[in-house]
Amino acid sequence: MNRTFRNILILWCCLSSTLVNAQEGIYLTAEKVIALAKTDNIDIKKEILKVQMADAQLSKAKEWWLPDLFVGTQLHQLDGSGLNTDGRIFTDVDRQSRWYGGEARVDWNIGKGIYDAKIAKLNAKSASFQSEVSKNQVTLDVLETYYNLLSITAKKALYKDMITSKTNLVDQLKIQVDAGLRLSSELLIAKSNKSRLMLEQMKLEQEYQSAMTNMLIALNIKENQNLYVDIADLKKVELDEATSTSSAIENHPIITASELQSKAAAQQSKQVWNSIMIPNVGVSYNVGSFGEDYNSTRSTDAWNGYIGWKLPLGQLVYGGGSKIANQSKAISELELEHNKTRITSQITAFQNKLAIYDTMISLAEEGGQFAKEALEQSKTRQEAGLGTIYEILLAEEAYMSAQMLYLEAVVDYNMTSFMLVDAMGMKL
């Protein structure tokens, strides 16, 4: 960063620090924004809950082998006709019974239970890695909001500085015009230019309010909480990206999530046929008192059980379940290959962009230095009566353009750096 622009940033920093110290609030840096997003952002909270939901579904899938317990009483009352076990019908029946005790019953669809648990475990792991990807994306969105706010704040300070300079120029021209040393048209042009800058400053103020609102929403902060940024923080970030592309792809959470989804789909395909081959088993045991009423009950216990195969003729004839499972597996494999290609392309693109933005920053710094010197010389010539207002206006436009390009290049460089870290599969 050249000395002139560094001095400007230091001046802006002092002005910002004065405002921060004047009021209490939250001072935002990129690191602070990331930390607040991880704890307070609504979308990130949802991602955490999704992982917890996947874990809960895994717990539910593990319940298949445990019995259902019943404790209580059962009543029976029959008036009228009844069917005997040998098929005869009895009329005018008045029959009642009461049972109270406990019962344990389990119905095991062994094949489905085993594979459901395996699939739920793979889905839970996949959800955890997918959550990391989603949280990184949300964090990138929040960082973009932060840098937009920081950039607008810096532009406001630049416009304020230029309007102050323009005010001084108008005052000087007015004195010279009154003394007959300058044309009134030059004063009018300077005033017009100042008015234009003030209008653009007002537009920036509206953008600033919108950016501040977006920042409050992104961080889930109440509206009455003050937020502050320091434009001295608008500088190039240096992030750790020391990993190879192949290693990044191999360890990227979206790749791991896709691989787990593919395995889950494969387990789903196996489940369709294995759940048919493995028999269903059921066992029940109950113990309690049984009789006509409370005074005539006797202790009784009973065992019941079964083993057999449930044959889904629809699946055997049409194979719909296996077809769906196989298509799901094929889709998961395509997504896996697509993600590998996409990540490779993104890493290369982001690395190329960083090199371009780095060059743009250097050129903007150099151009800003030249524009600053040209502006100072044009003001000196104007004060000495040698230059014209047009020279100053051109120099100011060149200076502001250089500073704007610098600010935009730094923001683009920083956001691309964070996106590269994300593409490398690292947590923000």
Side-chain angles (χ1 to χ4, degrees):
M1 183 183 297
N2 61 58
R3 183 176 300 177
T4 301
F5 201 72
R6 184 185 299 275
N7 291 336
I8 294 174
L9 282 182
I10 292 174
L11 176 60
W12 288 350
C13 179
C14 293
L15 292 174
S16 300
S17 299
T18 302
L19 291 174
V20 172
N21 292 330
Q23 305 179 52
E24 294 184 358
I26 300 176
Y27 165 49
L28 296 180
T29 62
E31 293 78 11
K32 181 70 173 180
V33 164
I34 293 173
L36 288 174
K38 288 181 177 180
T39 57
D40 298 331
N41 181 270
I42 295 297
D43 291 325
I44 289 182
K45 287 183 177 180
K46 288 180 181 178
E47 292 301 324
I48 295 173
L49 291 175
K50 287 179 182 178
V51 174
Q52 295 175 354
M53 177 67 75
D55 291 337
Q57 290 171 341
L58 173 58
S59 298
K60 179 65 178 177
K62 292 178 178 179
E63 297 175 2
W64 71 272
W65 64 275
L66 293 172
D68 292 329
L69 300 178
F70 172 81
V71 177
T73 182
Q74 296 178 4
L75 303 175
H76 173 74
Q77 177 67 48
L78 175 63
D79 292 311
S81 299
L83 177 66
N84 195 22
T85 55
D86 61 2
R88 289 180 294 170
I89 300 295
F90 290 88
T91 60
D92 299 325
V93 175
D94 182 5
R95 184 176 69 195
Q96 62 182 12
S97 65
R98 177 183 179 90
W99 174 88
Y100 48 96
E103 179 183 57
R105 172 182 293 275
V106 58
D107 294 287
W108 289 316
N109 187 337
I110 299 175
K112 187 176 186 302
I114 291 174
Y115 281 95
D116 277 351
K118 289 181 178 180
I119 293 169
K121 185 176 181 180
L122 291 169
N123 286 336
K125 289 182 178 179
S126 177
S128 178
F129 286 104
Q130 183 62 53
S131 177
E132 292 301 322
V133 175
S134 299
K135 287 190 286 188
N136 259 20
Q137 186 56 58
V138 172
T139 304
L140 284 174
D141 292 339
V142 176
L143 279 170
E144 186 175 10
T145 302
Y146 164 71
Y147 276 112
N148 183 45
L149 175 63
L150 188 58
S151 175
I152 292 174
T153 304
K155 290 176 181 178
K156 282 179 59 183
L158 178 60
Y159 269 89
K160 182 179 179 181
D161 181 60
M162 293 305 297
I163 290 173
T164 300
S165 175
K166 191 69 66 177
T167 300
N168 294 334
L169 177 61
V170 168
D171 293 340
Q172 293 175 12
L173 284 173
K174 187 175 184 306
I175 295 174
Q176 293 175 345
V177 169
D178 291 342
L181 301 175
R182 290 283 181 181
L183 297 174
S184 60
S185 59
E186 294 188 73
L187 175 59
L188 293 174
I189 291 174
K191 287 183 176 181
S192 174
N193 193 255
K194 177 184 175 181
S195 298
R196 180 181 62 83
L197 289 175
M198 293 178 67
L199 287 172
E200 292 179 358
Q201 184 186 45
M202 293 174 66
K203 181 180 178 181
L204 272 176
E205 183 61 35
Q206 291 179 334
E207 294 178 4
Y208 173 82
Q209 295 300 329
S210 179
M212 182 62 72
T213 299
N214 292 336
M215 194 79 260
L216 289 167
I217 294 173
L219 298 180
N220 192 29
I221 296 176
K222 296 180 180 178
E223 291 186 4
N224 59 359
Q225 179 66 63
N226 293 318
L227 301 180
Y228 300 99
V229 294
D230 190 337
I231 53 184
D233 294 326
L234 193 55
K235 55 189 177 183
K236 286 170 55 178
V237 298
E238 299 297 336
L239 303 177
D240 183 17
E241 306 152 6
T243 183
S244 65
T245 301
S246 59
S247 177
I249 294 174
E250 181 180 352
N251 299 308
H252 200 291
I254 191 62
I255 299 299
T256 305
S258 297
E259 291 173 342
L260 290 168
Q261 283 295 320
S262 182
K263 291 179 180 179
Q267 292 294 333
Q268 185 71 46
S269 181
K270 291 181 181 179
Q271 182 200 57
V272 174
W273 291 109
N274 287 353
S275 61
I276 297 176
M277 302 300 295
I278 300 174
N280 293 353
V281 177
V283 178
S284 68
Y285 171 74
N286 63 67
V287 60
S289 296
F290 178 76
E292 186 175 359
D293 53 36
Y294 283 109
N295 298 323
S296 61
T297 57
R298 299 250 188 318
S299 177
T300 180
D301 63 316
W303 285 93
N304 293 283
Y306 69 88
I307 182 171
W309 285 261
K310 183 179 180 181
L311 302 178
L313 295 180
Q315 168 61 25
L316 295 174
V317 174
Y318 295 102
S322 59
K323 290 179 180 178
I324 293 173
N326 290 335
Q327 294 304 315
S328 177
K329 180 183 176 183
I331 291 173
S332 298
E333 291 173 350
L334 286 175
E335 289 179 346
L336 176 59
E337 292 304 315
H338 172 69
N339 284 330
K340 288 181 179 179
T341 303
R342 178 175 58 83
I343 290 171
T344 302
S345 300
Q346 284 182 338
I347 291 174
T348 302
F350 292 149
Q351 288 173 338
N352 292 337
K353 283 184 177 181
L354 281 180
I356 294 173
Y357 291 140
D358 190 52
T359 302
M360 289 176 64
I361 290 172
S362 298
L363 291 174
E365 286 179 334
E366 183 180 23
Q369 177 64 34
F370 293 150
K372 181 67 175 178
E373 292 177 2
L375 178 58
E376 291 173 351
Q377 290 180 15
S378 64
K379 288 182 177 179
T380 301
R381 284 170 52 81
Q382 188 272 334
E383 291 172 358
L386 301 175
T388 65
I389 184 61
Y390 303 105
E391 292 182 29
I392 295 178
L393 293 179
L394 289 174
E396 285 180 340
E397 290 294 332
Y399 175 73
M400 288 193 68
S401 177
Q403 304 313 314
M404 291 292 188
L405 289 173
Y406 174 84
L407 296 175
E408 292 169 1
V410 170
V411 170
D412 289 337
Y413 180 92
N414 289 354
M415 281 305 305
T416 303
S417 296
F418 283 113
M419 287 189 286
L420 178 58
V421 169
D422 173 60
M424 288 288 189
M426 294 180 282
K427 291 183 180 179
L428 293 175

